[in-house]
DNA sequence: TATTGTTATACTCTATAACTATA
DNA sequence: TATAGTTATAGAGTATAACAATA
């Protein structure tokens, strides 16, 4: 929703504060837009970017990939088809199960995702750089704490689980 | 990207911290997923939800709507078509310009977006509730400060501009 | 029989280009 | 001529259901 404007009563905009929900919602849109913009520079959609991101340190089967991306396996087939057509990923038959295929990043795909990543990271760091160092550090610490707590609440160990990674 | 795992060296996961970029990226995905999930409960996509959200306090022309949503006018036509077919919005001919149409929320649309909003807000508040009150307040303040600073940096007054609202 | 992956199909979302009806 | 909106068309992304090959 990132819903209505948090249309503050009036007056001192300089010190006004968004309500917590609107703040987090808006922040999520700002960050997604940064990601989208940088991905688009390389003709990547968010979906393609997620795919490449997940493959940076894995070589999963289609099935595992579908679980990692939280998509239906048929959607994953299509996603991989289009990436493969562009030479960004490759399908490799599994040696242990003749039904299965492994999906892996090509050099070209790896290079593309690295470039987009780097630009995106720079965007976020630039935005963070607008805050005084003390605020910046505090924010990072709190965001991290929130994510870890939230993940734990969902029964996920952020630092071990495969699901919490790569979005 | 919400990129690689921030695969910490090892050890004490309890005190480990995500790097700032990954933290914000992951947070944005978590929040978007909450929004998506709640919208889906009412058979709404993110796009439809944004549309309804924007219309909560406006009755724009198609043209204005396209600008508000940052979409091509033809995309907006389709979006409104589908929402209208479901009875969530209505097209009203402009009285001042016979080429133009105004788009407005129906009661049904307003009710739907309110319900989805409420559920989403509850989700975010629940997540925030996992933090101790002091952390929660600090986080809200910092997020707000970051958004205001970032908006200012882009030449936007978060509290006046039409663009910063509703995502 | 169960699982892996693909195909067939359908719908949403988005954009570009061409069109119409006003202005 | 210029603007407001729609239509025609095309492609990405997603899901469900049915299917072939293998386990």
């Amino acid at each position: 929703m990132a819903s209505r404007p948090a249309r503050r009563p009036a007056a001192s905009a300089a010190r006004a504060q968004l309500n917590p929900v609107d703040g987090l919602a808006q922040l999520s849109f700002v960050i997604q837009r940064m990601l989208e913009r940088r991905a688009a520079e390389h003709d990547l959609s968010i979906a393609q970017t997620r795919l490449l991101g997940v493959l940076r340190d894995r070589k999963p089967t289609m099935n595992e990939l579908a679980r990692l991306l939280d998509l239906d396996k048929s959607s994953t087939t299509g996603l991989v088809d289009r990436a493969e057509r562009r030479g960004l990923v490759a399908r490799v038959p599994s040696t242990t199960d003749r039904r299965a295929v492994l999906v892996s990043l090509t050099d070209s795909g790896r290079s593309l995702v690295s470039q987009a990543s780097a630009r995106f990271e720079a965007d976020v760091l630039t935005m963070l750089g607008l805050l005084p160092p003390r605020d910046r550090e505090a924010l990072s610490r709190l965001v991290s704490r929130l994510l870890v707590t939230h993940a734990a609440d969902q029964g996920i160990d952020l630092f071990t689980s495969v699901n919490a990674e790569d979005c």
Side-chain angles (χ1 to χ4, degrees), chain A:
Chain A
M1 229 85 356
S3 56
R4 271 125 345 123
R7 208 149 241 169
R8 113 269 67 193
S12 65
R15 316 213 114 277
Q17 203 187 305
L18 277 63
N19 82 51
V21 173
D22 280 0
L24 285 177
Q26 286 199 22
L27 182 59
S28 81
F29 278 107
V30 166
I31 291 174
Q32 291 282 314
R33 247 199 310 261
M34 284 178 174
L35 180 52
E36 206 169 338
R37 191 173 102 241
R38 293 315 193 176
E41 288 180 351
H42 300 274
D43 282 305
L44 292 175
S45 63
I46 295 255
Q48 289 288 326
T49 309
R50 277 185 76 206
L51 168 64
L52 302 189
V54 158
L55 294 178
R56 293 228 271 184
D57 43 26
R58 285 185 203 81
K59 198 169 156 179
T61 64
M62 289 296 289
N63 224 340
E64 290 162 351
L65 189 53
R67 263 184 288 118
L68 284 163
L69 296 172
D70 193 25
L71 294 176
D72 188 87
K73 52 188 181 157
S74 68
S75 308
T76 310
T77 293
L79 209 55
V80 169
D81 281 350
R82 291 184 291 274
E84 194 176 28
R85 218 178 296 141
R86 286 180 60 183
L88 304 178
V89 307
R91 280 178 166 95
V92 185
S94 162
T95 52
T96 57
D97 182 340
R98 277 168 36 218
R99 295 169 304 179
V101 234
L102 307 182
V103 185
S104 73
L105 219 47
T106 62
D107 289 347
S108 159
R110 185 172 302 280
S111 151
L112 209 61
V113 70
S114 296
Q115 289 173 50
S117 275
R119 308 266 263 155
F120 169 67
E121 285 184 23
D123 286 340
V124 177
L125 289 175
T126 298
M127 180 174 71
L128 282 172
L130 297 171
L131 291 180
R134 202 173 297 278
D135 281 1
R136 196 186 318 153
E137 285 150 23
L139 179 61
S140 299
R141 202 170 329 119
L142 289 167
V143 165
S144 191
R145 201 171 292 168
L146 179 63
L147 284 170
V148 171
T149 318
H150 177 250
D153 188 55
Q154 313 268 301
I156 298 170
D157 176 357
L158 240 201
F159 290 102
T160 304
S161 160
V162 107
N163 297 314
E165 298 170 2
D166 309 285
C167 77

